[in-house]
Amino acid sequence: MIGLIPERLERIVVLGAHCDDIAIGAGGTLLTLSRPGLRVDALVLSGGGSEREDEERAALAAFCPGADLDVTVLKMPDGRLPAHWDEVKNALEELRARTDPDLIVAPRTDDAHQDHRGLAKLVPTAFRGHLTLGYEIVKWDGDLGTPSVYVPLRDELAEKKVELLQRHYPSQRHRPWYDREAFLGLARIRGIECQARYAEAFAVRKLCLQLEG
């Protein structure tokens, strides 16, 4: 099993098309990695200027305890991001100009949602040669696949992820899929697949192993 050493991660970038994407897809991983001295740059493409931005800022602060967190929430229209290719590309390039992360966490390139997929496909055009973990979000489309990377979660972190999702995104509680069973159920399945109780799973398109020091 190949592992990342958290202490060697000094800067990470987390990307979402919508407020709550990052927390749903990688909230447990953020809780696992976050520590004093870690720099986290978060870019969310939609929801700026609304209650969703307030939710996102509070949520990411809770998911990144102790980290040096910078959050940018833009105002692109939900469900229409493919039509705003230039704006997404520019936002990614502006972020790249101010950070050289050790790790990127973003949507999967084969996500069925056009906003998630569009963002994912643009990430390597701005961040070339960076390890990128593509998170998954359970949805009506039934697009869950076979992940290639797993992050085991301690029981208490899996529970904390669900608690923080419920606490910080009240605007989403009415959705039929937004509940404890959905989040923990997927985490339990991914845990089985990596011989753990709970886990988050990711897709990796390209991985470079440096086997010599």
Side-chain angles (χ1 to χ4, degrees), residues 19 33 83 143 157 180:
C19 297
L33 290 176
D143 64 349
L157 288 188
R180 171 187 172 83

Side-chain angles (χ1 to χ4, degrees), residues 5-83:
I5 301 175
E7 290 75 12
R8 293 183 183 176
L9 297 177
E10 297 181 355
R11 304 179 72 92
I12 67 175
V13 160
V14 291
L15 304 171
H18 317 101
C19 297
D20 79 17
D21 285 354
I22 295 168
I24 292 173
T29 299
L30 289 177
L31 288 170
T32 300
L33 290 176
S34 291
R35 56 176 173 77
L38 177 69
R39 171 72 179 193
V40 179
D41 287 287
L43 173 64
V44 181
L45 299 180
S46 63
S50 71
E51 66 171 348
R52 300 219 62 197
E53 177 177 357
D54 296 334
E55 291 178 347
E56 184 76 336
R57 291 185 178 279
L60 291 181
F63 276 104
C64 299
D68 177 14
L69 174 66
D70 181 77
V71 179
T72 300
V73 183
L74 303 179
K75 297 181 179 181
M76 298 183 200
D78 186 352
R80 299 290 187 272
L81 293 188

Side-chain angles (χ1 to χ4, degrees), residues 77-142:
D78 186 352
R80 299 290 187 272
L81 293 188
H84 295 263
W85 190 93
D86 284 345
E87 294 173 64
V88 177
K89 172 76 168 174
N90 290 338
L92 289 173
E93 290 183 342
E94 289 172 6
L95 178 58
R96 176 66 182 94
R98 64 177 188 267
T99 187
D100 185 20
D102 302 302
L103 174 67
I104 298 171
V105 180
R108 296 164 26 234
T109 55
D110 59 349
D111 192 297
H113 194 296
Q114 68 274 11
D115 292 353
H116 301 172
R117 186 173 63 250
L119 170 57
K121 289 184 175 180
L122 279 173
V123 171
T125 71
F127 293 90
R128 304 185 67 85
H130 295 79
L131 175 59
T132 302
L133 301 182
Y135 56 73
E136 57 183 357
I137 296 178
V138 65
K139 61 178 78 66
W140 174 88
D141 307 81

Side-chain angles (χ1 to χ4, degrees), residues 178-196:
Y178 196 91
D179 59 32
R180 171 187 172 83
E181 290 180 338
F183 299 134
L184 277 185
L186 179 57
R188 181 68 185 106
I189 291 171
R190 296 317 189 195
I192 291 170
E193 294 173 350
C194 69
Q195 298 181 323

